[in-house]
Structures are given as structure tokens and as C-alpha cells.
Amino acid sequence: MKHHTFVVIGGGSAGYAAANTARQFTDDVAIIDNSEELGGLCILKGCMPSKTLIYMAEVMHLAQHAATFGIEVPEPRPNMKKVHERKVTMIDDFKNYRQKNLLDTSKFTLYRQRGEFIDADTFQLDDGTQITADHFVVSTGSIISSPPVPGLDSVPQLLSDHVLDLDNLPESMIVLGGGIVAAELAQFLNRMGTEVTLIQRSEYILKHAGAEAASVVQQAFRDEGIALFTGTKIHAIEEIADQGIRVSFESGGESHAVEAKHLFNALGRVPNSAGLGLDKAGVSVQKNGLIQADPFLVTTNPKVYAAGDVTGPDAVVHTAVKQGETAALHAFGQTPKPMDYSCPFDVIFTDPQIGRIGPQEHELREQGYDVISADYPFDDHGKSILMEANYGYVKIWADRKTGKLLAAECVGKDGGELVHALSLPVQLGLTLKDIKGIYWYHPTLSEIWEYPIDDLYDAIYDSE
């Protein structure tokens, strides 16, 4: 039996943030992490490696279209071994820093085992060691989802971990799924030269982004040569001798069968909450696997907190880090602000990117706002036209009665960067009067926001 003041289960973004914050109040912080390699999903298998590869694919795409800008470039070809080496080098810098801190025995006691709760106060490791604590934080992240798709469990398949670690270029690939991972990596593979077919069950990809935003990305995908099928129902997945994989499905009332050398299962992730003995600890888990926690991340066991992907509501690093910090502060009797998920902030790193701050329009209406919106397209904006960045739009939602800014969305070139220009006004609850007259430098991409701002201002205040 060992006792620690503060114990974190899972050393990813949320867990590390919780442990690091706890060190402000105690020298007795333990981390339990049995993963093959320390560092967490974002650094090792998620956002950092994927964005490294996505940017390299963007460079490849620009090189392929250099003639559009009057530049003669010999036929560009990816050297996947060098692409892989650069990704490894980039990630090693982040990984080594995190691992150095996790392995620092002067800061943390590290247990490299898995385990489970055996009661409300005790977490038992696989070697039989029983650990008690004043407070626990469960931050075990998420794992690959395996939904019941006919034939999926009987064929060879790649997961996102495999795709992110490729040092060769697959000839062809069928991608199952239309979420963020599926969309981002499908475009990466296609731009590098793989023949890509993407099959999505819903009527459009990136369904959480909304149909309007998703339709722009879908058009870009098709224009780039991705064979995209939506609104599908898969009937069979089978291995073809010496040829690869065949997927038979319905789409648009027609039957289809597509073949490729490889299958990429990108059907999403689920909370990694099973096998932790949470029921024995008195910690409630929802049907979808998310651990139930209040705005201070306290679970139904007041001694146990939950943070990160395992508790939701989204799976993004900035939320996970804030949750970990909030949980630790609350555990040590501080007064952190409760977590507030009413103004979500999301970025999808396809090209065009999708950047959004604030709830979707139907959610705003459900909250009682008299919603008014205005948008402006990239294909009528000076800087984007000269950059050949013509896909997409910017859009702003406001309350007609008060002029309060409610949400903003940028679907287009560098949308994840551009949306930050409106993120602060939206999060602060500013009105159109507050931001009318701000200077937008010409010619810049950011200048595009001025048009919907002016349109909304005129629509709301000219009638006063």
C-alpha cells in the first residue's frame, strides 16, 4: 500500500497539466501511465505529427501548382522516407521535453503500469501495488473506435497511428469515415500521390462542422481528385487475393464496389474509460463512455476527478489542458473558474481549413437569440484571389436585439488562423458597435472580416 497526495492516471495533455499544476501545492505527485511511450496522444499520435505531415502535403500541393503562378518546377515527387524523418525529428523535440519532465523523479513518482480501482479510495496496479490518494485525476484519453461494420474485423487495415508513421507511399487507399482524422489524412495521402477513396456514412463529411462548411471542403476534395462518397451504407468489406481490399456499399440509391491496396479505418475514437474499475470507485460513466464530471471536473466520487478526452465534451488539447489545471486547483482548495463549454472553439486542418468560435446557429436560436448573420466569399476578396485561395467564406452571427457577437466561422485559406481575429470579441461578448471601425490592413486575408461586420452593423443599427 502506497499513499500519495495527488495521483494522475494518464500522462497526456490533461494529466500532465493536472500533475504540473498540483506541484505548486505539494511535492507528492504520482503519475500512472502504462502507454508504450510517454508523451500523450497529441504529441505522439495526434495533432503534432498530423499537422507536420499536413503542412508538408501543402508544400507538395503548391509545388504541383507552381505553373499557376508562373513558376516552372520539375515534376515534384515526395520522398516519403525524408518526409517521415522530418516528422520524427519535429516530434522528438516535443516528445523529449515532455518525457524529460515526466521522468524527473524530483517532480513526480512515475508508475509504468496499468491498473484499476478496487474501491472508492484505492487504485491497484497490475503488480498488486495498492495506491491511495487524497485526490485522483483520471485522464486516460481516448482509443480507436471499432463500430460494427460488415467485414471490418476480418480484413487487414491501417489505423491513424500507422498512416502517421508511413515511410512509403501507398498506391491506393480506401478511407472509412468522414471525421476530422479521416478528412485531414485523406487529403494528406491524396496530395502526396495516393489514389484515395473516402466513404462516409453521413450525408456529408465533418458533420459536426455543419453542412455549409463541410460542402466547401467536399468540393475541394473532389476538385483535387479524391473519390468521395457520402450517405453510404456498407454491405461488405473483403480482402481480395493479391490485390487488396474491396468495399461494397450503397450511395445515392446506387450500388458501388471500390477496390484499393489498403484500407484506412478512420471511424473515430471513443473515451478510454473501460477497464478502470470506475464502477467500484463510485464514478458514473455515461453510455457513450464519457466520465460524468461537474464544471470543476469532480466525478460522482468527490475524491476522483476526470479530465481530457475521457470526460469531453470535445477532444481538443486546449480544453484538456484547462480541465487538468482546473481539477488540480480545485483539489487543493483554490477557486478556479468553472469550465464553461458554451463557446466552443474548433479548427479543422483540411485545406480549406475550418475555424469556428461559438455555437452553431440552431443552438443559438435554441438559447433564445434573435439571430442575424452575414457572410462574404473568398473568391471576391483581393488577397485570396491573388493567392488562388478561392474556396470558402467568412461568416458572423449576432443578436439582432443587442448587436452582440455570438459566433464566427472562417472556411478558407488559413481559416484556423484567421478565426482568431473574431475569437476575442466573441468570447468577451462584444457588440458590433464595439468593433465597428477597427482598421483591417489592406491587402490581407484578415481584411475579409470587415465586409460581414459592416453588413451586420448596417442591418442592426440603421433601423434605429
Side-chain angles (χ1 to χ4, degrees), residues 1-4 7 30 32 109-119 121-132 136:
M1 180 77 71
K2 295 185 178 180
H3 182 84
H4 296 281
V7 173
I32 301 170
T109 301
L110 179 63
Y111 296 94
R112 297 289 276 124
Q113 298 183 56
R114 74 170 285 113
E116 63 178 334
F117 285 99
I118 58 174
D119 58 42
D121 303 296
T122 313
F123 191 84
Q124 181 169 295
L125 302 180
D126 285 345
D127 68 358
T129 301
Q130 294 183 357
I131 296 176
T132 59
F136 292 92

Side-chain angles (χ1 to χ4, degrees), residues 150-315:
L152 179 60
D153 58 357
S154 61
V155 299
Q157 57 194 266
L158 300 177
L159 304 176
S160 58
D161 291 0
H162 305 128
V163 174
L164 291 171
D165 207 33
L166 287 171
D167 63 358
N168 59 85
L169 187 65
E171 177 184 329
S172 55
M173 185 84 71
I174 295 172
V175 180
L176 298 183
I180 294 174
V181 172
E184 290 182 353
L185 293 185
Q187 190 175 38
F188 158 72
L189 289 166
N190 179 70
R191 286 184 163 185
M192 286 299 187
T194 298
E195 181 183 332
V196 175
T197 301
L198 192 151
I199 300 172
Q200 162 71 339
R201 181 178 60 180
S202 301
E203 291 302 319
Y204 49 88
I205 64 173
L206 303 170
K207 61 181 181 179
H208 297 299
E212 185 177 17
S215 65
V216 175
V217 178
Q218 288 185 176
Q219 186 60 55
F221 277 17
R222 290 185 169 118
D223 290 347
E224 289 186 15
I226 294 176
L228 175 60
F229 296 89
T230 59
T232 67
K233 180 179 181 180
I234 293 177
H235 293 305
I237 302 175
E238 55 190 326
E239 188 174 5
I240 311 169
D242 301 323
Q243 297 200 19
I245 302 293
R246 177 188 291 126
V247 179
S248 303
F249 60 96
E250 288 183 21
S251 177
E254 298 182 355
S255 296
H256 299 268
V258 296
E259 298 178 3
K261 291 291 186 181
H262 302 280
L263 179 73
F264 174 19
N265 174 2
L267 293 170
R269 303 182 68 89
V270 294
N272 186 21
S273 58
L276 294 174
L278 294 172
D279 55 336
K280 299 173 187 175
V283 175
S284 294
V285 179
Q286 302 173 42
K287 289 183 178 180
N288 59 7
L290 291 174
I291 297 176
Q292 183 178 325
D294 71 11
F296 295 103
L297 292 313
V298 183
T299 70
T300 48
N301 177 345
K303 182 177 284 191
V304 180
Y305 292 75
D309 295 3
V310 78
T311 194
D314 51 34

Side-chain angles (χ1 to χ4, degrees), residues 385-439:
I385 290 173
L386 67 88
M387 296 174 70
E388 294 287 340
N390 296 315
Y391 291 103
Y393 59 88
V394 291
K395 190 170 184 177
I396 300 174
W397 290 261
D399 180 27
R400 190 189 303 269
K401 296 177 182 177
T402 64
K404 178 183 176 181
L405 293 162
L406 302 174
E409 183 171 81
C410 180
V411 182
K413 174 66 175 173
D414 294 333
E417 308 293 337
L418 296 182
V419 74
H420 284 79
L422 269 289
S423 68
L424 188 61
V426 170
Q427 291 181 75
L428 292 178
L430 301 184
T431 68
L432 288 158
K433 280 186 176 180
D434 293 324
I435 65 172
K436 181 72 167 76
I438 290 177
Y439 289 108

Side-chain angles (χ1 to χ4, degrees), residues 290-346:
L290 291 174
I291 297 176
Q292 183 178 325
D294 71 11
F296 295 103
L297 292 313
V298 183
T299 70
T300 48
N301 177 345
K303 182 177 284 191
V304 180
Y305 292 75
D309 295 3
V310 78
T311 194
D314 51 34
V316 293
V317 170
H318 66 265
T319 299
V321 169
K322 188 64 177 178
Q323 287 177 334
E325 293 171 346
T326 299
L329 290 170
H330 188 268
F332 286 97
Q334 305 303 301
T335 55
K337 290 183 179 180
M339 292 298 300
D340 181 1
Y341 308 112
S342 63
C343 190
F345 196 175
D346 297 295

